[in-house]
Amino acid sequence: MEKIVGHLINGQLVADNGGRRQDVYNPATGEVTKQVALATKATVEEAITAADKAFPAWRNTSPAKRSQVMFKLKVLLEEHSETICNMITDEHGKVHHDAMGELTRAIENVEFACGAPQLLKGEHSKNVGTSIDSWSEFQPLGVVAGITPFNFPAMVPFWMWPLAVVCGNTFVLKPSERTPTASLFMAQLALEAGLPAGVLNVVMGDKEAVDTLLNDSRVQAVSFVGSTPIAEYIYSTATANGKRVQALGGAKNHAILMPDADIDNAVSAIMGAAYGSCGERCMALPIVVAVGEETGDTVVEKVKAELAMMKIGPGRDNNNDMGPLVTKAHFEKVTGYVDLGVEEGATLVVDGRNIAIEGYEKGYFLGGCLFDHVTPEMKIYKDEIFGPVLGIVRVTTQQEAMDLINDHEYGNGTCIFTRDGESARYFTDNIKVGMVGVNVPLPVPVSYQSFGGWKRSLFGDLSMYGPDGIRFWTRRKTITQRWPSSSIREGAKFSFPSNN
Ligand code: NAD
């Protein structure tokens, strides 16, 4: 074993030699390429202590200086983009061009964070009473933490920590133990950009590390992205410990395909959204609800034809459309759902099981699968599969399609394909989902908006990054200040202060 991915604490790489470790795989080859250290409680506490010690000086550093680090970081990230994308591909499996898309979104969050001096300006009211001015300012919380999933090793940590630190907080990041390398490398680039030691710490690990963050009283806020059962656990545990929490969970996003849609463009969009990144995106599109039998028949035929042309292979080859699934365990889970769909009575139109990629026979490759006649009682409809499995549900009206979406436990993303403005407007007004597209299959908000689902896709009140991110990482303080003229003498007043 040539390599161990360790922690970054107080500006130093810590190997944690001798502690618990876990294998990290290259999903294209099935080989163990390195091990990741799994932090003990003591290691995580060391990181929290480093963040706690760094807080007073960082809090008092001007927002302009904090944002200058972000300007330098953006340049470094762009310079090292090839290296970062290769790290992502070699642990996650996604194709290089897809990794570049994720990295670009990560950098956009750095660009937003560059605006810290503007974003933190506060709100001022002059003369709220005689000689009295009042203003709200947004102060940092202190030590805060982020816990992230495997599927976006560059982007999701960057939804959190750049904004948190430009707001004056100090941070402990716990990336996914399945895809740890890019998150660590990008944190090292932040040090190179001038982030002082201790402001950003990275601990690798599993439940032990996470539980330490949730239970340590010095951690003021926790931002989480991952599956719904863990999101719910994080939310209930950390809020019970008095912390501010935003916990983003899983999804089962539906697109409605209306009979009047531009069907060829819709199918192109559906292909990327359903099978891009092997379906391992929380904004992936695993369900298409076709309105009308003819729409259903057409979409099935066209997706089937597209699947025959889809290029599957290792993510290092940029000509491929789709790489492997992340781990063997996940591969078995997803193929298990394909088996189940057949048992449940859905029609397996395209079967991606048992594909072989020459030279990569031990990789976790699953071909694109397409089910027709999926119904709402089926587990393949209800559960988040997180793989390249698209299900077609057939209904007769737009309202029926919308009722399905509104009744589903998740409410992350959705989309309608139509040429009719009235249908689209009715959809955007009445659909119970946090991120909504009209002819946009992956309506992932840009960094200066905010990202968040509804229902069991998000636990907490504030969405991720953008304007909500600023609110999440700061605490409002309202100051009322009076500088009376010394020439005016005022007696004591016992009534409640007001403008009466
Ligand atoms: P996961 O829930 O297994 O892991 C997420 C994080 O939680 C990891 O850092 C992991 O180490 C930690 N964790 C796992 N089990 C834990 C436990 N028992 N106690 C404490 N911590 C634990 O998720 P994943 O498989 O890495 O990622 C895929 C999931 O993330 C999917 O459900 C996907 O929809 C979701 N996701 C959601 C969004 C969103 O924005 N809503 C974005 C990306 C991914």
Side-chain angles (χ1 to χ4, degrees), residues 310-384:
M310 193 168 76
K311 295 195 201 86
I312 303 170
R316 282 285 193 127
D317 180 347
N318 234 348
N319 291 317
N320 287 322
D321 299 315
M322 192 175 92
L325 287 159
V326 67
T327 58
K328 187 159 189 280
H330 192 55
F331 172 85
E332 283 165 0
K333 179 182 158 189
V334 177
T335 48
Y337 269 110
V338 181
D339 300 344
L340 180 66
V342 175
E343 278 169 38
E344 288 183 312
T347 312
L348 186 58
V349 180
V350 180
D351 185 356
R353 295 170 295 181
N354 306 317
I355 61 156
I357 309 292
E358 207 186 322
Y360 294 88
E361 288 76 9
K362 292 198 172 144
Y364 314 131
F365 291 97
L366 174 65
C369 299
L370 175 64
F371 277 112
D372 194 5
H373 302 293
V374 173
T375 58
E377 308 74 47
M378 295 178 182
K379 268 181 83 63
I380 60 159
Y381 171 79
K382 290 181 186 156
D383 295 359
E384 181 183 46

Side-chain angles (χ1 to χ4, degrees), residues 146-152 155-156 159 174-179 205-211 214 224-231 233-234 247-252 280-283 326 330 333 384 386 410 412 435 451-453 457-458 464:
I147 300 154
T148 54
F150 81 83
N151 65 327
F152 284 108
M155 182 180 77
V156 173
W159 284 358
K174 208 299 287 171
S176 169
E177 61 277 38
R178 283 181 272 174
T179 51
D206 55 10
K207 185 170 168 53
E208 181 175 348
V210 171
D211 284 346
L214 301 184
F224 172 86
V225 176
S227 59
T228 286
I230 309 298
Y233 166 73
I234 301 277
L248 278 62
K252 189 83 176 186
E280 293 169 319
R281 292 177 183 146
C282 68
M283 290 293 278
V326 67
H330 192 55
K333 179 182 158 189
E384 181 183 46
F386 225 53
Y410 296 120
N412 214 41
M435 293 171 283
F451 181 110
S457 293
L458 190 154
M464 191 74 66

Side-chain angles (χ1 to χ4, degrees), residues 12-54:
Q12 301 294 319
L13 283 175
V14 179
D16 213 17
N17 285 327
R20 283 191 306 129
R21 290 180 199 156
Q22 184 172 310
D23 290 338
V24 179
Y25 292 85
N26 180 335
T29 62
E31 285 165 2
V32 176
T33 53
K34 51 186 95 72
Q35 287 194 311
V36 61
L38 301 176
T40 58
K41 185 167 184 274
T43 304
V44 178
E45 284 173 350
E46 218 182 295
I48 297 170
T49 301
D52 200 31
K53 285 200 174 133

